[in-house]
Amino acid sequence: MGLSVNGVDIDDHVIERELAHHQHADNPLKQSVHEVVLRTLLLQEADRLGLCMLGEDEDACIEALLASEVKVPQADDAACSRYYAANPQQFTNGELVEARHILFQVTPNAPLELLRETADAVLATLKAAPERFDELARQYSNCPSGAVGGSLGQLARGQCVPEFDAVVFRLEQGRLAERPVETRFGLHIVQVQRRVAGRLLPFEAVRERIADYLATAAWQRGVHQYLQLLVGRADVQGVTLEGAATPLVQ
């Protein structure tokens, strides 16, 4: 495919071997090419700096390079405390909501715009007459829960898809979401019927977890920046790199 990194040609067989590791990517070939190019750049730089010992495997060479060249500060108490204060939901145990919904499922025979119009109309009816939720769930919902008035029972954080989770844990008890919630399943009219408050874990109990998370995030940003530096000064032919698309910088 005419691919080279700093004058070194990359054989198509190398790409083919890498392809097996990225079958679930949105674009497996593109992902594989990027991964091979970035890995080649890292190995070339490790060799240039004398960090690759004779007989050492490639992963060890890359680890030695990143350990040498990517330096990130450790998260101090102030940074951990700020993260704790800004994200209390991540450190709350036992929080539950009792919710119900009406699902308008996207199908080939029910395009999104038509569903949106129907969902908006049903939501407007419910805002005027909330006592009709049970009736309208049985009539319209494409979820099995429609048979029980749309009830989903008690839900804990992380039990539903993220976009649904974000809405139900933000809604006040008894409130309908102002607009239908869009997820991969379709459009949902959502109401929280009851909330059970959780217990916020003390900072001391989660400080180490926060520090590990912040350190990992800082390391990933550092690796990303280092790869961008290598790419910026490299002669790569045959592909335009998009560094953020590779597992090496996620």
Side-chain angles (χ1 to χ4, degrees):
M1 62 189 305
L3 181 64
S4 69
V5 179
N6 292 324
V8 177
D9 291 335
I10 304 297
D11 193 281
D12 285 351
H13 295 301
V14 177
I15 305 297
E16 290 171 7
R17 286 197 300 270
E18 186 66 29
L19 195 58
H21 303 297
H22 303 285
Q23 291 305 305
H24 298 295
D26 291 338
N27 187 327
L29 179 59
K30 178 180 178 180
Q31 187 86 5
S32 300
V33 170
H34 285 194
E35 185 76 4
V36 166
V37 170
L38 290 174
R39 189 175 183 87
T40 301
L41 279 173
L42 289 167
L43 290 169
Q44 288 178 348
E45 186 66 7
D47 185 62
R48 186 183 75 82
L49 296 176
L51 296 173
C52 243
M53 305 298 292
L54 185 63
E56 197 167 30
D57 67 33
E58 292 184 350
D59 288 342
C61 290
I62 291 173
E63 286 177 13
L65 174 66
L66 295 179
S68 171
E69 299 300 301
V70 179
K71 305 295 183 183
V72 295
Q74 293 299 306
D76 58 18
D77 278 341
C80 292
S81 182
R82 286 194 298 272
Y83 188 86
Y84 176 78
N87 300 277
Q89 72 280 359
Q90 293 186 20
F91 312 109
T92 299
N93 280 350
E95 185 180 12
L96 298 171
V97 294
E98 189 173 309
R100 57 184 178 177
H101 78 149
I102 300 173
L103 171 64
F104 300 85
Q105 186 177 23
V106 178
T107 68
N109 297 323
L112 183 59
E113 286 310 309
L114 177 60
L115 286 182
R116 200 182 302 280
E117 290 178 11
T118 306
D120 287 342
V122 173
L123 181 57
T125 299
L126 285 172
K127 287 179 178 179
E131 70 278 2
R132 295 186 62 191
F133 198 107
D134 185 289
E135 168 202 341
L136 294 175
R138 294 175 187 274
Q139 180 179 350
Y140 286 100
S141 186
N142 300 124
C143 176
S145 66
V148 289
S151 175
L152 295 170
Q154 289 188 336
L155 303 171
R157 280 191 183 274
Q159 195 170 336
C160 301
V161 292
E163 52 271 37
F164 192 92
D165 225 38
V167 172
V168 295
F169 281 94
R170 187 177 67 241
L171 277 176
E172 295 177 9
Q173 184 167 303
R175 293 290 300 275
L176 284 163
E178 284 299 313
R179 58 184 61 84
V181 179
E182 188 170 340
T183 74
R184 64 174 180 265
F185 300 109
L187 299 172
H188 310 250
I189 293 174
V190 183
Q191 183 184 43
V192 168
Q193 297 172 282
R194 189 166 72 94
R195 301 186 67 92
V196 177
R199 181 178 72 89
L200 181 64
L201 297 172
F203 174 68
E204 293 73 20
V206 295
R207 189 242 181 262
E208 187 173 342
R209 190 205 313 176
I210 295 172
D212 288 344
Y213 169 79
L214 293 178
T216 299
W219 169 258
Q220 289 172 336
R221 287 193 300 272
V223 171
H224 188 136
Q225 291 165 0
Y226 183 61
L227 284 169
Q228 288 182 322
L229 176 67
L230 292 182
V231 169
R233 65 192 191 199
D235 176 20
V236 179
Q237 300 294 324
V239 65
T240 299
L241 283 184
E242 298 172 14
T246 170
L248 281 170
V249 295
Q250 291 178 350

